[in-house]
Amino acid sequence: MNANEPREQGPEERGTGGWSQFGTTPPAAGGFPRRDTHPMPQPPPPPPAPPKKARFTAGQKAIAGLALAAMAVGGGVVGAVVANSLQPEPVLTSASTPSPVFKATSDQLTVAEVAARVQPTVVMIQGQTGEGSGVVLSEDGLILTNNHVAVGAGQGGGQMTVKFSDGKTAKATVVGTDPATDLAVIRAEGVSGLTKATLGDSDQLKVGDPVLAIGSPLGLDGSVTAGIISALDRTLNLGNDQRQQIPPGWGQQEQESGAAPTTIGGAIQTDASINPGNSGGALVNAAGQLVGINTAIASEAAGGGVGFAIPVNTAKQVAEQLISSGKVSHAFLGVSVTDASGDVPGALVRQVTQGSPAEKAGLKQGDLITKIGDKTVDGGDTVVGQVRGFKPGQQVKITYMRDGKSAEVDVTLEEKK
């Protein structure tokens, strides 16, 4: 108890020189102590001696230094305890607010820094009947884009033109196209020293990762929009329903003139704004690495909507084959499927091609495919899209139902003839 706090005195203390602020005789209720009984105030106790300034021995300094290092590097509990025991009271200081940082995959870059790094790798592709975007793959002019962009820009016998970020232009020719994946490679003629894109790994993407979409929406070259990865592994139907899933820049005239519908599996969904003209452009992560090729939008209104991109891992495989041989080999399962109509979602096998990998593995007409690998099958389009994402010779586990019982089978895919 503090000596300056009032306390009651017991009988043994009264008249024995006990001290209180009331003296030896307490006042009457509501009154004050009488003057003749008020003792002289006691002198206040001397103030405590100031604490000695802490001095460190050589060993203590070494311990403190290690503790601070532990806090800075690992944030360890032991380091924090040692540091706090040896340090004076913390002093609060106001730190300046850092600039907004674009959440990075490997580097901490701002949105402006990522955009500045990537814009020179993205081009605008123009033709008589269409336009779109592309991504530079090599310093000597190889450019990756969508098949529907290359077909649309090259229709009517006109010359395809590429416009670079510095405003220069060059004529371009088609190296190869792959309608099944809606990808193509073209070459800009008479150019050198171009800034090529840095390829990332689309298999490492997670929902919520920040991304930028860069291209030429509505003819506005070099445009940048920001968003996140909204979903992964989507299946797209391109060209079947313009209102729901339309490749940007793919108008009615282009669709009727030879751009065949196709199904693409494993697509990246993003809320980064994508509009007509973005097709073939870059979807990049926060480190400025290419993770997808912008391909389609789903919208109930003209312009905007949910965007979709082809994963860069798929695009890389296709591009390498187009550059080396001008064509792409695709995996072949050998089934004709349709959406299931019962309570269990899946793809109903309507027909099995004779001699196909599906027949060799034992799949039969009437089987209900419910899963391919780890991917749950929602309908026939999922099977088509997933198979197109595999390579010939790859072994895939297929889960199916027959007579109400679930079963699994390993299928070795072959090259589609």
Side-chain angles (χ1 to χ4, degrees):
M1 178 175 291
N2 192 325
N4 293 322
E5 293 180 357
R7 62 186 178 91
E8 294 184 3
Q9 293 178 310
E12 70 281 358
E13 293 177 321
R14 296 190 180 102
T16 60
W19 179 89
S20 80
Q21 71 266 42
F22 300 121
T24 56
T25 305
F32 294 90
R34 294 183 316 195
R35 185 177 301 275
D36 59 346
T37 61
H38 199 296
M40 294 296 291
Q42 297 292 326
K52 294 182 179 180
K53 187 174 181 180
R55 295 181 180 273
F56 293 91
T57 65
Q60 287 175 321
K61 290 179 181 178
I63 293 173
L66 290 173
L68 292 174
M71 291 177 66
V73 176
V77 174
V78 175
V81 170
V82 176
N84 288 337
S85 66
L86 298 177
Q87 297 300 314
E89 289 297 321
V91 178
L92 298 179
T93 58
S94 58
S96 58
T97 304
S99 300
V101 175
F102 190 36
K103 193 78 173 176
T105 299
S106 61
D107 299 319
Q108 286 197 347
L109 302 173
T110 65
V111 172
E113 289 170 337
V114 172
R117 175 181 294 188
V118 176
Q119 279 177 320
T121 71
V122 181
V123 302
M124 182 178 183
I125 301 173
Q126 298 172 303
Q128 288 187 347
T129 58
E131 62 183 22
S133 306
V135 179
V136 177
L137 294 180
S138 69
E139 296 180 358
D140 60 352
L142 288 173
I143 295 170
L144 177 63
T145 186
N146 285 135
N147 172 70
H148 71 262
V149 171
V151 170
Q155 283 179 354
Q159 180 67 52
M160 195 167 16
T161 302
V162 173
K163 182 181 179 182
F164 300 96
S165 62
D166 59 4
K168 297 180 180 179
T169 60
K171 295 180 180 180
T173 56
V174 175
V175 174
T177 63
D178 183 37
T181 57
D182 194 24
L183 291 168
V185 174
I186 63 175
R187 181 185 288 278
E189 300 175 354
V191 297
S192 61
L194 300 179
T195 302
K196 62 180 181 179
T198 300
L199 305 187
D201 184 358
S202 52
D203 289 341
Q204 300 301 315
L205 290 175
K206 297 179 181 178
V207 174
D209 283 349
V211 288
L212 297 182
I214 303 177
S216 304
L218 308 175
L220 303 172
D221 57 303
S223 296
V224 179
T225 55
I228 62 170
I229 300 296
S230 303
L232 296 168
D233 208 13
R234 295 297 199 196
T235 300
L236 303 182
N237 293 314
L238 302 182
N240 288 328
D241 187 344
Q242 286 187 301
R243 182 179 60 86
Q244 293 183 354
Q245 294 179 350
I246 317 169
W250 192 351
Q252 183 70 26
Q253 179 181 358
E254 296 171 31
Q255 182 177 344
E256 292 177 351
S257 58
T262 187
T263 300
I264 298 175
I268 302 166
Q269 179 182 327
T270 177
D271 68 347
S273 182
I274 292 178
N275 290 280
N278 269 119
S279 275
L283 187 71
V284 301
N285 62 16
Q289 299 170 334
L290 183 70
V291 294
I293 299 297
N294 298 323
T295 297
I297 58 174
S299 176
E300 293 292 335
V306 178
F308 298 93
I310 300 171
V312 71
N313 290 4
T314 299
K316 180 181 178 181
Q317 296 176 17
V318 172
E320 288 174 347
Q321 295 182 65
L322 290 176
I323 293 170
S324 62
S325 64
K327 62 179 183 179
V328 180
S329 61
H330 291 286
F332 174 62
L333 176 60
V335 294
S336 174
V337 292
T338 188
D339 295 345
S341 57
D343 296 333
V344 180
L348 183 66
V349 177
R350 294 193 305 177
Q351 184 178 356
V352 179
T353 303
Q354 186 175 0
S356 67
E359 185 187 53
K360 294 176 183 178
L363 291 176
K364 297 181 179 180
Q365 180 181 5
D367 288 345
L368 181 66
I369 299 176
T370 58
K371 186 179 292 186
I372 296 183
D374 296 329
K375 172 68 174 178
T376 299
V377 174
D378 297 323
D381 292 338
T382 307
V383 175
V384 176
Q386 288 295 306
V387 171
R388 284 182 176 167
F390 296 128
K391 299 178 182 178
Q394 188 171 350
Q395 190 176 73
V396 180
K397 183 181 295 295
I398 294 181
T399 305
Y400 65 95
M401 294 189 68
R402 180 185 298 168
D403 299 328
K405 297 180 180 180
S406 181
E408 293 180 349
V409 65
D410 291 327
V411 181
T412 301
L413 303 176
E414 299 177 1
E415 183 177 355
K416 187 175 182 179
K417 305 298 184 181

